[in-house]
Amino acid sequence: MAIASSLLAPTSGLGKELTLKIAVTSDVHGNYFPYNFITRSPGDGSLARVATRVNELRDSLGRDRVILLDNGDILQGQPTAYYYNFIKTDAPHLTARMLKWLDYDAETIGNHDVETGHAVYDRYRKDLGSLPLLGANVIDRTTGKPYLQPYTVLDKNGIRIAVLGLLTPAIPAWLPETLWDGLEFEDMVESAGKWVPYIMENEKPDLLIGLFHSGRDFSKMTGEWRENASLLVAEQVPGFDFIFMGHDHTLFNSTANDKVDSSAVILNPANNANHLAEGNVTFILDDNGKVIGKKLSGQLTSLDDIVPNSAFMAMFDSEKNEILDFVNRKIGTSEGDFSVRDAYFGPSAFMQLLHDLQLTISGAEISLAAPLSFDAIIRKGDLHMSDMFTLYKYENMLYTLEMTGRELKDYLEMSYSLWTDVMNSQDDNLLLFSGLRTAAKGDYAKLLNPSYNFDSAAGINYKVDVTKPQGEKITITSMSDGTPFDFDKIYRVAVNSYRGNGGGDLLTKGAGIPHDELKSRVVSSTDKDLRFYLIKEIEKRGKISPEVVSNWKFIPEDFVKDAVRRDRKTLFGD
């Protein structure tokens, strides 16, 4: 996708011209090589393809006329990142080495980078050396000052370019405080409102770039935090020439959108290094080299047809082979297929495996979990380490927390309301599709809400009436062992740490538990990520078998039968 437009600042029409290019990646999620280490097959995007495109730009414009930036969420996703985060910790971080080899100018931290914990991102920042890791609104509680470098100033051909980094402040809604101990996260508009005047007065830049790990839809709150505030900053804090967004995995180019109330060019390359956001700026200079005007434009460049850079591949070949050895390690056997696709339409073997493992590891009475990967499958045969990234996508810990029966019911009411539409006839959809509305995240474009908030339960028997609105959908008939379910009883419930800290609002807006009370509800927590314990349990068992426990169902069953078939075809084409 390449969409270009031009915004012309008033000039005298006289003087020399100097052109610079700003190339930006975001939400790379460990996709460094043109290979998917989870599916163990060739992959799209990658930093290897970014290297080819950036070299083309540097060769055509001149190396000192290309600015290369990354917008965070680079330390989580593919096993490439996981291996250097948690396994090979005695070596310089591979990601830092790659960014320095590619000669990046700056990077903003992302929420999934924070998710790795202090030990990882503090080591990573050190390994970056002089390459600045930005985050103006990441505040050190002890000093009250930014924990990370707030901005950097680059000098390109005598042109001063300031880059301000901001992170979505909703970290406390998703992550255990142990991962960001000693930090707090300012509202993005508030932080930009302080730093832009400071930068303008003290640095006097010729160009101001916002590098924001935050998306575009500021209409929704995540707990008490405005998660996606990039466009709000653009509208309320003047002075930016370019704003590069991230986090929501959605392609965006403001020069092709007349609804954006900002003079800045705003771009988002989405995720996995499948696209490169490219800002173009031509400076009009007077005879003394002073900037007297600017021409700005933006485009999103697809990397689909780009050949991976051979020098990059050669440089990091031994690391690639070491990671391949890691993901190819056998940890057990699967006696059948486990498909995420089944999880959208009723009880599934995939979700039953996850619920069973959560209950075993935690010792809880009830498990709550969602399909974290939108579409994935574990195949019959040998189980490898790579399959564990299919089973569990994120580095969440496992919590056991206390909830009343009433809170559980209300929690499920919200979950299935995010998941399913209200059917008035057999011709209606079962699933809640985005339609003309904006999807919550680019990965889930056909769904209004991401599937990682579609929690089902194990340990209880219940029905979901798809003809009813939220509050009337769920009927819990008993515990799964046949004993009565009690709305007033306190149950021990297994949830991941994202959910346990308020992620997705199911505990807060759904169950009605105040956010500041969530911490006191946690009875226990694993000390390592849940995937680590899933691996240990599967290694102990030796094999897993697909099993569907029909502890819940959509009703009326005849009413939803055709909708399941239609919606499955819409979602997956099968």
Side-chain angles (χ1 to χ4, degrees), residues 147-163:
Y147 182 75
L148 302 173
Q149 187 170 325
Y151 69 91
T152 189
V153 178
L154 310 172
D155 189 316
K156 300 286 183 178
N157 292 274
I159 303 293
R160 290 176 62 78
I161 301 109
V163 184

Side-chain angles (χ1 to χ4, degrees), residues 113-416:
D113 303 325
V114 176
E115 185 181 29
T116 64
H118 265 294
V120 175
Y121 58 78
D122 287 344
R123 171 170 60 92
Y124 172 69
R125 179 171 55 158
K126 182 179 178 182
D127 289 343
L128 285 173
S130 60
L131 199 168
L133 183 62
L134 305 179
N137 62 330
V138 181
I139 306 301
D140 187 327
R141 285 178 178 166
T142 302
T143 65
K145 297 179 180 179
Y147 182 75
L148 302 173
Q149 187 170 325
Y151 69 91
T152 189
V153 178
L154 310 172
D155 189 316
K156 300 286 183 178
N157 292 274
I159 303 293
R160 290 176 62 78
I161 301 109
V163 184
L164 175 68
L166 293 174
L167 167 66
T168 175
I171 303 297
W174 305 317
L175 304 180
E177 190 170 350
T178 53
L179 301 177
W180 46 274
D181 183 51
L183 304 178
E184 58 187 35
F185 306 91
E186 283 184 340
D187 175 80
M188 289 177 55
V189 174
E190 177 186 347
S191 185
K194 291 188 300 185
W195 283 104
V196 169
Y198 179 89
I199 292 169
M200 292 302 193
E201 181 179 351
N202 292 275
E203 305 293 353
K204 297 179 173 52
D206 299 303
L207 192 79
L208 179 60
I209 298 171
L211 191 61
F212 301 163
H213 190 85
S214 179
R216 70 187 185 195
D217 185 2
F218 56 82
S219 65
K220 300 175 183 177
M221 300 293 288
T222 298
E224 60 188 81
W225 298 274
R226 198 171 298 281
E227 176 181 351
N228 292 305
S230 293
L231 291 186
L232 199 61
V233 173
E235 292 179 6
Q236 296 189 7
V237 183
F240 290 99
D241 296 292
F242 289 96
I243 288 178
F244 295 94
M245 300 192 295
H247 182 61
D248 63 4
H249 296 192
T250 304
L251 293 171
F252 187 83
N253 184 340
S254 67
T255 63
N257 189 326
D258 59 8
K259 296 180 181 179
V260 176
D261 184 19
S262 174
S263 60
V265 174
I266 307 170
L267 302 168
N268 188 337
N271 55 314
N272 290 330
N274 288 316
H275 289 80
L276 195 65
E278 298 182 9
N280 313 299
V281 54
T282 297
F283 294 96
I284 313 299
L285 310 177
D286 66 15
D287 292 339
N288 297 316
K290 181 180 178 182
V291 174
I292 56 175
K294 287 174 282 193
K295 302 175 185 178
L296 310 177
S297 66
Q299 66 193 58
L300 301 172
T301 301
S302 171
L303 303 182
D304 286 348
D305 298 324
I306 298 287
V307 177
N309 181 271
S310 58
F312 179 94
M313 296 299 294
M315 179 67 188
F316 300 106
D317 184 62
S318 63
E319 289 83 354
K320 179 188 176 184
N321 290 331
E322 190 171 349
I323 297 163
L324 279 171
D325 289 341
F326 169 67
V327 298
N328 287 335
R329 181 166 73 82
K330 182 181 175 181
I331 63 170
T333 303
S334 174
E335 297 189 325
D337 291 350
F338 294 79
S339 174
V340 170
R341 295 186 179 188
D342 300 330
Y344 294 87
F345 307 103
S348 66
F350 191 98
M351 290 308 303
Q352 182 58 37
L353 174 62
L354 186 53
H355 282 307
D356 180 41
L357 291 168
Q358 286 196 169
L359 290 171
T360 300
I361 294 165
S362 67
E365 300 162 277
I366 297 169
S367 168
L368 297 169
L372 302 186
S373 296
F374 168 66
D375 183 17
I377 189 168
I378 296 174
R379 297 286 186 187
K380 179 180 180 180
D382 290 344
L383 275 175
H384 299 91
M385 186 66 74
S386 57
D387 293 309
M388 295 300 96
F389 290 82
T390 297
L391 178 61
Y392 210 84
K393 186 175 182 179
Y394 302 109
E395 279 74 72
N396 302 140
M397 288 175 274
L398 182 64
Y399 282 0
T400 302
L401 51 81
E402 292 181 335
M403 295 177 68
T404 66
R406 170 61 63 185
E407 288 169 342
L408 278 162
K409 197 259 188 189
D410 291 343
Y411 179 109
L412 291 172
E413 289 282 0
M414 181 174 176
S415 174
Y416 283 91

